[in-house]
Amino acid sequence: MSYNILGITPGHNGSVALVSDGKLVFYLEEERLSRIKYDGNPLKSILYLLSKYEINELIITGVHERFIPKTPPPPISQDVYSHLIKKYQSNLVTIPFWDKHHLSHASNAFYNSGFDKAAVLVIDAVGSTHLFNNVFIEETESIFSFEYPNNVITHYKSYNNHSNLNYKNNKINISSNCNITKTYEGITQLFKWNSQESGKTMGLSSYGQLNKNIPKLFTSGKGNPNYFQSVYGAGAVTNFNLEIDPKEWHYNASKITQYEKDLAYHIQTESEKEVFKLVEKTLDLTKLDKIACAGGYFLNCVCNYKLLKKFPNIEFYFDPASHDGGNSVGAALYRWYEHSKDTTIRPRKTLYNGPQYTQDQLINSIKKYVN
């Protein structure tokens, strides 16, 4: 009988992933079933899987235990996902992994890359929260090296906090200033888009150009504190003033000004330079010429393309599910290789790991929307 590990990611981009004997056989983001954008509670996805598979282990990743929804007593309080599955499969083993957000990102990138050994760079808005000198700090960038089956070395971690704590040495950087991804999200929110919609800012950047009236957006690898203030979770507050409410041009492109286009260009190109620096840091710390990349920033395909051009001697892997949804895959794969000590390399060959539909089902669905 197969050994099945179910990974789940609550929070935005809620998802499930099923790893069966080391092979990713199912991956689905909850919004595909609920039709609610960024749905964070993968309950329908779990029920779908329970109708088809026996689950041996559940591994829950996230950012912190306090954000995992709990069922109230009696008889015992537990996370709602374990509680749901145990109603169907009472022998379930639950493994908490919510304090290893960046390790989930990194595992997703490495185990899907096809590399036998590699550096892994994670660039994210906010990862797991930890206590440091009685202050909550949030993961933002991480550098690892991976080798099969699950030999992982952490070389560098960068954190954000909201208590004006600043601390730095060769392996850790804690700052109260905005990290790379939050700074990018700050401009995205300035344009009245959701912080998760930075791809729109990336697209807009291609219409911009260098503008000497726009100040430097980054200082010392962080968002310029004169213009960006980090907020808890995703995004940032900016004090840039726009001449027109962006909602005016969301559906009427003729109303957008060159300033908005240039601001998008600046956040794109300046953030790219900060990413280049982190890649160089990764190469210096790990001495490896293969880099697997994950975390929300690596959905930025413009930057990814430029990395390939700037570092032609480096072999890159950019995971297509670099956002938090992919963490369910990473957590389940990490647990498989930790549990089994398997050394089989299984590069990801398809993105189509969700439910399968017949031609009749597709035709009937289309008919609902045809007059």
Side-chain angles (χ1 to χ4, degrees):
M1 181 179 291
S2 297
Y3 195 85
N4 295 328
I5 301 173
L6 172 60
I8 66 170
T9 300
H12 64 82
N13 308 121
S15 70
V16 301
L18 187 74
V19 170
S20 181
D21 291 339
K23 182 180 179 181
L24 177 64
V25 298
F26 190 88
Y27 169 74
L28 185 67
E29 294 180 25
E30 181 73 5
E31 65 177 33
R32 302 299 182 184
L33 294 182
S34 70
R35 315 308 297 169
I36 301 171
K37 195 70 172 173
Y38 311 121
D39 193 337
N41 285 303
L43 298 174
K44 283 191 171 185
S45 303
I46 290 173
L47 289 172
Y48 179 89
L49 277 174
L50 286 174
S51 71
K52 298 181 179 297
Y53 296 94
E54 185 79 19
I55 308 300
N56 299 101
E57 292 185 3
L58 169 66
I59 184 164
I60 307 174
T61 186
V63 294
H64 196 278
E65 180 181 7
R66 67 184 185 275
F67 297 121
I68 307 296
K70 300 288 197 305
T71 60
I76 185 171
S77 179
Q78 63 182 164
D79 71 89
V80 68
Y81 310 109
S82 298
H83 188 77
L84 173 62
I85 297 173
K86 285 183 178 179
K87 288 181 178 294
Y88 296 85
Q89 300 176 14
S90 60
N91 295 326
L92 177 76
V93 175
T94 300
I95 299 170
F97 213 64
W98 44 69
D99 60 340
K100 298 176 177 62
H101 186 90
H102 275 201
L103 182 58
S104 298
H105 273 307
S107 298
N108 181 42
F110 174 71
Y111 289 118
N112 285 319
S113 69
F115 299 149
D116 60 344
K117 182 179 182 180
V120 183
L121 174 60
V122 178
I123 303 180
D124 203 10
V126 53
S128 294
T129 55
H130 303 273
L131 272 176
F132 182 89
N133 291 345
N134 294 318
V135 172
F136 277 110
I137 58 176
E138 309 161 344
E139 293 175 310
T140 57
E141 293 99 27
S142 299
I143 297 172
F144 304 92
S145 58
F146 269 68
E147 187 173 6
Y148 278 86
N150 70 317
N151 302 318
V152 182
I153 298 173
T154 302
H155 296 273
Y156 174 78
K157 301 282 280 189
S158 180
Y159 296 90
N160 191 72
N161 75 94
H162 307 281
S163 301
N164 295 317
L165 173 65
N166 293 283
Y167 176 86
K168 186 176 182 180
N169 61 29
N170 291 334
K171 296 195 67 173
I172 187 172
N173 183 356
I174 303 173
S175 175
S176 57
N177 295 335
C178 281
N179 55 289
I180 297 170
T181 308
K182 276 192 174 186
T183 303
Y184 203 113
E185 289 177 342
I187 295 297
T188 298
Q189 291 176 303
L190 178 69
F191 293 154
K192 298 294 180 68
W193 289 318
N194 186 291
S195 64
Q196 302 300 309
E197 297 177 312
S198 290
K200 295 179 179 180
T201 304
M202 179 188 72
L204 181 60
S205 70
S206 63
Y207 296 92
Q209 59 191 2
L210 184 65
N211 185 329
K212 294 182 179 179
N213 293 320
I214 293 176
K216 192 172 180 63
L217 302 183
F218 288 89
T219 59
S220 302
K222 303 289 182 180
N224 188 332
N226 293 322
Y227 300 98
F228 296 92
Q229 180 182 349
S230 178
V231 297
Y232 189 80
V237 175
T238 69
N239 58 10
F240 287 97
N241 294 316
L242 302 180
E243 295 179 3
I244 186 172
D245 185 339
K247 289 186 177 180
E248 293 290 319
W249 49 260
H250 280 186
Y251 301 100
N252 186 349
S254 65
K255 291 188 176 183
I256 193 170
T257 71
Q258 188 61 41
Y259 181 78
E260 282 98 350
K261 299 174 186 178
D262 293 349
L263 192 54
Y265 171 85
H266 274 255
I267 191 61
Q268 176 66 33
T269 55
E270 289 190 41
S271 66
E272 288 169 358
K273 292 176 182 178
E274 300 304 327
V275 173
F276 297 162
K277 293 175 186 177
L278 281 174
V279 169
E280 290 167 348
K281 189 178 188 72
T282 300
L283 296 172
D284 180 59
L285 291 175
T286 67
K287 313 300 181 188
L288 296 169
D289 60 1
K290 296 178 180 179
I291 304 179
C293 302
Y297 188 92
F298 284 111
L299 293 176
N300 192 309
C301 57
V302 174
C303 180
N304 295 351
Y305 174 78
K306 291 182 181 179
L307 284 171
L308 296 175
K309 294 297 183 180
K310 185 173 178 62
F311 299 95
N313 297 322
I314 302 303
E315 193 171 352
F316 284 98
Y317 172 79
F318 304 105
D319 193 83
S322 290
H323 61 308
D324 281 6
N327 280 12
S328 60
V329 179
L333 286 173
Y334 181 89
R335 175 57 187 158
W336 166 256
Y337 285 100
E338 178 185 54
H339 160 80
S340 67
K341 302 304 178 185
D342 182 11
T343 57
T344 305
I345 299 173
R346 300 178 176 89
R348 188 165 193 170
K349 296 180 179 179
T350 180
L351 300 179
Y352 301 104
N353 297 115
Q356 303 297 308
Y357 301 99
T358 66
Q359 186 174 18
D360 286 343
Q361 285 176 308
L362 295 173
I363 291 172
N364 289 333
S365 294
I366 293 170
K367 285 181 178 178
K368 295 178 182 178
Y369 302 96
V370 177
N371 294 327

